[in-house]
Amino acid sequence: MLQVAKTPPMGWNSWDCYGASVTEEELMANAEYMAKYLKPYGWEYVVCDIQWYEPTADGSQYHKFADLCMDEYSRLIPAENRFPSSAGGRGFGPIADRIHAMGLKFGIHIMRGIPRQAVHRNTKIYGTDMTARQVAKSYSICAWNTDMYGVDSAAEGAQEYYNSIFNLYASWGVDFVKVDDICNMKYRPQSPYADRDEIEMIRKAIDQCGRDMVLSLSPGPAVLKEEKHLKAHANMWRMTDDFWDVWEALYAMFERCEKWAPHVGEHHWPDCDMLPLGHIGIRSSEHGFTDRMTHFTREEQKTMMTLWGIFRSPLMMGGEMRDNDDWTLSLLTNEDLLAIHREGRGARQFMREDEIVVWNSRLTDGRDCIALFNLNDEERKVSYAMEQAGVSQRQSAKEIWGQKVQVEQGVISAEIPPHGCICLLLS
């Protein structure tokens, strides 16, 4: 059932730079960049985020009750003005074919449920005598988007509706589906995991569609006590609401990672969300910020990459990759970090004291990784004995970011900048 995502998925998602308004040209240009510069390092998924079916989408602010592109069977289809190759009923097939020809994989974002537009028009459900109105759960709505009603799992035709949309996605060649408004506790605090029945219908729909697809659930924070259900049905689930280039959000991620670390493993990955690196906010406005290069300092960018890497979160680049500078590209292609991300096992936080945080993991080849983070607003001089993290003294130590570090008699000593880190591979 969950044979995909043996290692944490790595790719690009259009949201951080284009909001709901990405076009075919922008999508394909980023795919070409990935194929040229990042594919050799394991990056492979190109994901088109929300509202690809909305012709007038122009940023991250949704148009309430907009007319959506939809077929006669209540299934949303790409807006032809934004994705010209979808014309003639071809959907995302031509885009997926071109991405696959580059040796990459293609993903899309969907909202849970069935279009309100389909319910109001009472359109058909493919392969049944049922209609959208008969399977909709009209009181189940998203707090921040007006596109969908929930689906009533007890209704005849409900599973057939989900089967029909995933069969359509399989025919297009989709490899990754990010399902939104489905696993968080923020917007429905009285019933924080109310959509488990829709998660189960989606899992069944993927399993019957005949194509391997990564299933990613959003937004967070996901419900920690539901970890068994999440592992049984999804490959990724968000631990946080949308993550942006704000230090306070990165600071808060340390606590989330500590709690979720025991549940990281093959085919199921707690997700720290996208990497807001490089050029973001091109057609989106979050926290009052618009078009910009990431507000994270270089030290904060290294801290983010190191935490995501040692924790083994999925890595989804959020910036417009064509505008990457050498620095940003170097973060995404650091072979030591990617080895830690791919091969690390048993990562956990060993210490947090005076805002110095220590993580450790062991790679499959026997090397140990120790990461020390300085969450203070000032530089800190740190001395840390390897044995405190259960690591015996080693002969070789490499700091993966080129930071100056002294290792003598099993003690690591370094001056760590504010919001910065050091990350050592020991062999």
Side-chain angles (χ1 to χ4, degrees), residues 52 76 108 110 164-175 177 211 213:
W52 36 267
L76 296 172
I108 59 174
I110 65 170
S164 76
I165 65 171
F166 278 90
N167 289 341
L168 180 64
Y169 305 156
S171 75
W172 290 344
V174 171
D175 306 294
V177 180
R211 185 175 183 84
M213 295 182 190

PDB file of all heavy atoms in Angstrom, residues 52 76 108 110 164-175 177 211 213:
ATOM      1  N   TRP A  52      -5.081  25.147  -9.652  1.00  0.00           N
ATOM      2  CA  TRP A  52      -4.716  25.066 -11.062  1.00  0.00           C
ATOM      3  C   TRP A  52      -5.962  25.024 -11.959  1.00  0.00           C
ATOM      4  O   TRP A  52      -5.857  25.152 -13.180  1.00  0.00           O
ATOM      5  CB  TRP A  52      -3.850  23.826 -11.314  1.00  0.00           C
ATOM      6  CG  TRP A  52      -4.199  22.619 -10.494  1.00  0.00           C
ATOM      7  CD1 TRP A  52      -3.654  22.246  -9.298  1.00  0.00           C
ATOM      8  CD2 TRP A  52      -5.174  21.601 -10.810  1.00  0.00           C
ATOM      9  NE1 TRP A  52      -4.219  21.072  -8.847  1.00  0.00           N
ATOM     10  CE2 TRP A  52      -5.149  20.656  -9.745  1.00  0.00           C
ATOM     11  CE3 TRP A  52      -6.049  21.401 -11.872  1.00  0.00           C
ATOM     12  CZ2 TRP A  52      -5.971  19.527  -9.725  1.00  0.00           C
ATOM     13  CZ3 TRP A  52      -6.881  20.285 -11.858  1.00  0.00           C
ATOM     14  CH2 TRP A  52      -6.833  19.360 -10.795  1.00  0.00           C
ATOM     15  N   LEU A  76     -12.439  18.445 -11.148  1.00  0.00           N
ATOM     16  CA  LEU A  76     -11.750  19.667 -11.556  1.00  0.00           C
ATOM     17  C   LEU A  76     -10.670  19.344 -12.578  1.00  0.00           C
ATOM     18  O   LEU A  76      -9.982  18.318 -12.477  1.00  0.00           O
ATOM     19  CB  LEU A  76     -11.148  20.354 -10.330  1.00  0.00           C
ATOM     20  CG  LEU A  76     -12.187  20.842  -9.307  1.00  0.00           C
ATOM     21  CD1 LEU A  76     -11.506  21.326  -8.027  1.00  0.00           C
ATOM     22  CD2 LEU A  76     -13.062  21.945  -9.896  1.00  0.00           C
ATOM     23  N   ILE A 108       0.564  17.273  -7.982  1.00  0.00           N
ATOM     24  CA  ILE A 108      -0.447  18.323  -7.936  1.00  0.00           C
ATOM     25  C   ILE A 108      -0.969  18.470  -6.513  1.00  0.00           C
ATOM     26  O   ILE A 108      -0.839  17.566  -5.681  1.00  0.00           O
ATOM     27  CB  ILE A 108      -1.644  18.037  -8.879  1.00  0.00           C
ATOM     28  CG1 ILE A 108      -2.339  16.720  -8.524  1.00  0.00           C
ATOM     29  CG2 ILE A 108      -1.185  18.053 -10.330  1.00  0.00           C
ATOM     30  CD1 ILE A 108      -3.609  16.457  -9.310  1.00  0.00           C
ATOM     31  N   ILE A 110      -4.502  19.227  -4.287  1.00  0.00           N
ATOM     32  CA  ILE A 110      -5.958  19.260  -4.336  1.00  0.00           C
ATOM     33  C   ILE A 110      -6.490  19.614  -2.953  1.00  0.00           C
ATOM     34  O   ILE A 110      -5.806  19.444  -1.941  1.00  0.00           O
ATOM     35  CB  ILE A 110      -6.585  17.921  -4.803  1.00  0.00           C
ATOM     36  CG1 ILE A 110      -6.314  16.798  -3.784  1.00  0.00           C
ATOM     37  CG2 ILE A 110      -6.076  17.547  -6.183  1.00  0.00           C
ATOM     38  CD1 ILE A 110      -7.095  15.521  -4.069  1.00  0.00           C
ATOM     39  N   SER A 164     -12.827   8.107  -8.893  1.00  0.00           N
ATOM     40  CA  SER A 164     -12.854   8.729 -10.220  1.00  0.00           C
ATOM     41  C   SER A 164     -11.818   9.828 -10.370  1.00  0.00           C
ATOM     42  O   SER A 164     -11.215   9.967 -11.447  1.00  0.00           O
ATOM     43  CB  SER A 164     -14.253   9.272 -10.511  1.00  0.00           C
ATOM     44  OG  SER A 164     -14.528  10.478  -9.803  1.00  0.00           O
ATOM     45  N   ILE A 165     -11.592  10.614  -9.315  1.00  0.00           N
ATOM     46  CA  ILE A 165     -10.606  11.682  -9.490  1.00  0.00           C
ATOM     47  C   ILE A 165      -9.187  11.118  -9.490  1.00  0.00           C
ATOM     48  O   ILE A 165      -8.340  11.572 -10.263  1.00  0.00           O
ATOM     49  CB  ILE A 165     -10.775  12.831  -8.462  1.00  0.00           C
ATOM     50  CG1 ILE A 165     -10.513  12.383  -7.028  1.00  0.00           C
ATOM     51  CG2 ILE A 165     -12.149  13.482  -8.587  1.00  0.00           C
ATOM     52  CD1 ILE A 165     -10.466  13.543  -6.033  1.00  0.00           C
ATOM     53  N   PHE A 166      -8.933  10.097  -8.685  1.00  0.00           N
ATOM     54  CA  PHE A 166      -7.577   9.536  -8.697  1.00  0.00           C
ATOM     55  C   PHE A 166      -7.321   8.693  -9.940  1.00  0.00           C
ATOM     56  O   PHE A 166      -6.178   8.627 -10.413  1.00  0.00           O
ATOM     57  CB  PHE A 166      -7.298   8.781  -7.392  1.00  0.00           C
ATOM     58  CG  PHE A 166      -6.896   9.706  -6.277  1.00  0.00           C
ATOM     59  CD1 PHE A 166      -7.851  10.254  -5.440  1.00  0.00           C
ATOM     60  CD2 PHE A 166      -5.575  10.088  -6.107  1.00  0.00           C
ATOM     61  CE1 PHE A 166      -7.497  11.143  -4.438  1.00  0.00           C
ATOM     62  CE2 PHE A 166      -5.199  10.974  -5.111  1.00  0.00           C
ATOM     63  CZ  PHE A 166      -6.164  11.507  -4.265  1.00  0.00           C
ATOM     64  N   ASN A 167      -8.346   8.088 -10.491  1.00  0.00           N
ATOM     65  CA  ASN A 167      -8.167   7.420 -11.783  1.00  0.00           C
ATOM     66  C   ASN A 167      -7.840   8.440 -12.875  1.00  0.00           C
ATOM     67  O   ASN A 167      -7.023   8.176 -13.770  1.00  0.00           O
ATOM     68  CB  ASN A 167      -9.429   6.642 -12.150  1.00  0.00           C
ATOM     69  CG  ASN A 167      -9.623   5.409 -11.282  1.00  0.00           C
ATOM     70  OD1 ASN A 167      -8.680   4.927 -10.660  1.00  0.00           O
ATOM     71  ND2 ASN A 167     -10.842   4.890 -11.250  1.00  0.00           N
ATOM     72  N   LEU A 168      -8.473   9.613 -12.796  1.00  0.00           N
ATOM     73  CA  LEU A 168      -8.155  10.682 -13.736  1.00  0.00           C
ATOM     74  C   LEU A 168      -6.704  11.123 -13.569  1.00  0.00           C
ATOM     75  O   LEU A 168      -5.962  11.262 -14.559  1.00  0.00           O
ATOM     76  CB  LEU A 168      -9.105  11.861 -13.520  1.00  0.00           C
ATOM     77  CG  LEU A 168      -8.916  13.077 -14.434  1.00  0.00           C
ATOM     78  CD1 LEU A 168      -9.192  12.714 -15.891  1.00  0.00           C
ATOM     79  CD2 LEU A 168      -9.819  14.228 -13.978  1.00  0.00           C
ATOM     80  N   TYR A 169      -6.280  11.327 -12.325  1.00  0.00           N
ATOM     81  CA  TYR A 169      -4.892  11.746 -12.086  1.00  0.00           C
ATOM     82  C   TYR A 169      -3.908  10.682 -12.575  1.00  0.00           C
ATOM     83  O   TYR A 169      -2.853  11.005 -13.125  1.00  0.00           O
ATOM     84  CB  TYR A 169      -4.655  12.015 -10.601  1.00  0.00           C
ATOM     85  CG  TYR A 169      -5.597  13.024  -9.971  1.00  0.00           C
ATOM     86  CD1 TYR A 169      -5.847  13.004  -8.607  1.00  0.00           C
ATOM     87  CD2 TYR A 169      -6.246  13.989 -10.738  1.00  0.00           C
ATOM     88  CE1 TYR A 169      -6.702  13.917  -8.014  1.00  0.00           C
ATOM     89  CE2 TYR A 169      -7.110  14.898 -10.159  1.00  0.00           C
ATOM     90  CZ  TYR A 169      -7.340  14.856  -8.789  1.00  0.00           C
ATOM     91  OH  TYR A 169      -8.198  15.756  -8.213  1.00  0.00           O
ATOM     92  N   ALA A 170      -4.256   9.414 -12.372  1.00  0.00           N
ATOM     93  CA  ALA A 170      -3.386   8.339 -12.857  1.00  0.00           C
ATOM     94  C   ALA A 170      -3.272   8.382 -14.378  1.00  0.00           C
ATOM     95  O   ALA A 170      -2.193   8.173 -14.942  1.00  0.00           O
ATOM     96  CB  ALA A 170      -3.917   6.981 -12.395  1.00  0.00           C
ATOM     97  N   SER A 171      -4.379   8.675 -15.049  1.00  0.00           N
ATOM     98  CA  SER A 171      -4.341   8.749 -16.518  1.00  0.00           C
ATOM     99  C   SER A 171      -3.486   9.910 -16.989  1.00  0.00           C
ATOM    100  O   SER A 171      -2.922   9.865 -18.087  1.00  0.00           O
ATOM    101  CB  SER A 171      -5.759   8.874 -17.071  1.00  0.00           C
ATOM    102  OG  SER A 171      -6.302  10.183 -16.874  1.00  0.00           O
ATOM    103  N   TRP A 172      -3.388  10.950 -16.173  1.00  0.00           N
ATOM    104  CA  TRP A 172      -2.514  12.083 -16.511  1.00  0.00           C
ATOM    105  C   TRP A 172      -1.038  11.771 -16.255  1.00  0.00           C
ATOM    106  O   TRP A 172      -0.172  12.466 -16.768  1.00  0.00           O
ATOM    107  CB  TRP A 172      -2.894  13.294 -15.677  1.00  0.00           C
ATOM    108  CG  TRP A 172      -4.206  13.930 -15.999  1.00  0.00           C
ATOM    109  CD1 TRP A 172      -4.955  13.760 -17.122  1.00  0.00           C
ATOM    110  CD2 TRP A 172      -4.932  14.866 -15.176  1.00  0.00           C
ATOM    111  NE1 TRP A 172      -6.094  14.523 -17.057  1.00  0.00           N
ATOM    112  CE2 TRP A 172      -6.109  15.217 -15.876  1.00  0.00           C
ATOM    113  CE3 TRP A 172      -4.699  15.435 -13.927  1.00  0.00           C
ATOM    114  CZ2 TRP A 172      -7.047  16.109 -15.350  1.00  0.00           C
ATOM    115  CZ3 TRP A 172      -5.636  16.323 -13.407  1.00  0.00           C
ATOM    116  CH2 TRP A 172      -6.795  16.652 -14.112  1.00  0.00           C
ATOM    117  N   GLY A 173      -0.754  10.791 -15.385  1.00  0.00           N
ATOM    118  CA  GLY A 173       0.630  10.493 -15.029  1.00  0.00           C
ATOM    119  C   GLY A 173       1.099  11.192 -13.772  1.00  0.00           C
ATOM    120  O   GLY A 173       2.292  11.446 -13.597  1.00  0.00           O
ATOM    121  N   VAL A 174       0.185  11.461 -12.848  1.00  0.00           N
ATOM    122  CA  VAL A 174       0.530  12.139 -11.593  1.00  0.00           C
ATOM    123  C   VAL A 174       1.238  11.168 -10.656  1.00  0.00           C
ATOM    124  O   VAL A 174       0.809  10.017 -10.489  1.00  0.00           O
ATOM    125  CB  VAL A 174      -0.733  12.711 -10.930  1.00  0.00           C
ATOM    126  CG1 VAL A 174      -0.442  13.222  -9.526  1.00  0.00           C
ATOM    127  CG2 VAL A 174      -1.319  13.833 -11.788  1.00  0.00           C
ATOM    128  N   ASP A 175       2.317  11.644 -10.016  1.00  0.00           N
ATOM    129  CA  ASP A 175       3.130  10.819  -9.119  1.00  0.00           C
ATOM    130  C   ASP A 175       3.038  11.241  -7.657  1.00  0.00           C
ATOM    131  O   ASP A 175       3.533  10.517  -6.773  1.00  0.00           O
ATOM    132  CB  ASP A 175       4.614  10.911  -9.518  1.00  0.00           C
ATOM    133  CG  ASP A 175       4.849  10.585 -10.974  1.00  0.00           C
ATOM    134  OD1 ASP A 175       4.633   9.424 -11.351  1.00  0.00           O
ATOM    135  OD2 ASP A 175       5.230  11.503 -11.745  1.00  0.00           O
ATOM    136  N   VAL A 177       0.451  13.608  -4.817  1.00  0.00           N
ATOM    137  CA  VAL A 177      -0.750  14.403  -4.575  1.00  0.00           C
ATOM    138  C   VAL A 177      -0.692  14.976  -3.164  1.00  0.00           C
ATOM    139  O   VAL A 177      -0.595  14.233  -2.180  1.00  0.00           O
ATOM    140  CB  VAL A 177      -2.042  13.586  -4.761  1.00  0.00           C
ATOM    141  CG1 VAL A 177      -3.261  14.468  -4.502  1.00  0.00           C
ATOM    142  CG2 VAL A 177      -2.111  13.002  -6.168  1.00  0.00           C
ATOM    143  N   ARG A 211      -1.566   3.304 -10.156  1.00  0.00           N
ATOM    144  CA  ARG A 211      -0.348   4.095 -10.283  1.00  0.00           C
ATOM    145  C   ARG A 211       0.179   4.442  -8.903  1.00  0.00           C
ATOM    146  O   ARG A 211      -0.586   4.847  -8.025  1.00  0.00           O
ATOM    147  CB  ARG A 211      -0.606   5.369 -11.085  1.00  0.00           C
ATOM    148  CG  ARG A 211       0.661   6.166 -11.360  1.00  0.00           C
ATOM    149  CD  ARG A 211       0.420   7.363 -12.261  1.00  0.00           C
ATOM    150  NE  ARG A 211       1.666   8.037 -12.541  1.00  0.00           N
ATOM    151  CZ  ARG A 211       2.531   7.699 -13.492  1.00  0.00           C
ATOM    152  NH1 ARG A 211       2.235   6.683 -14.287  1.00  0.00           N
ATOM    153  NH2 ARG A 211       3.668   8.347 -13.675  1.00  0.00           N
ATOM    154  N   MET A 213       1.560   6.720  -6.162  1.00  0.00           N
ATOM    155  CA  MET A 213       1.500   8.154  -5.889  1.00  0.00           C
ATOM    156  C   MET A 213       1.895   8.393  -4.439  1.00  0.00           C
ATOM    157  O   MET A 213       1.438   7.679  -3.537  1.00  0.00           O
ATOM    158  CB  MET A 213       0.083   8.708  -6.091  1.00  0.00           C
ATOM    159  CG  MET A 213      -0.448   8.657  -7.500  1.00  0.00           C
ATOM    160  SD  MET A 213      -2.115   9.399  -7.578  1.00  0.00           S
ATOM    161  CE  MET A 213      -2.602   8.917  -9.243  1.00  0.00           C
TER     162      MET A 213
END
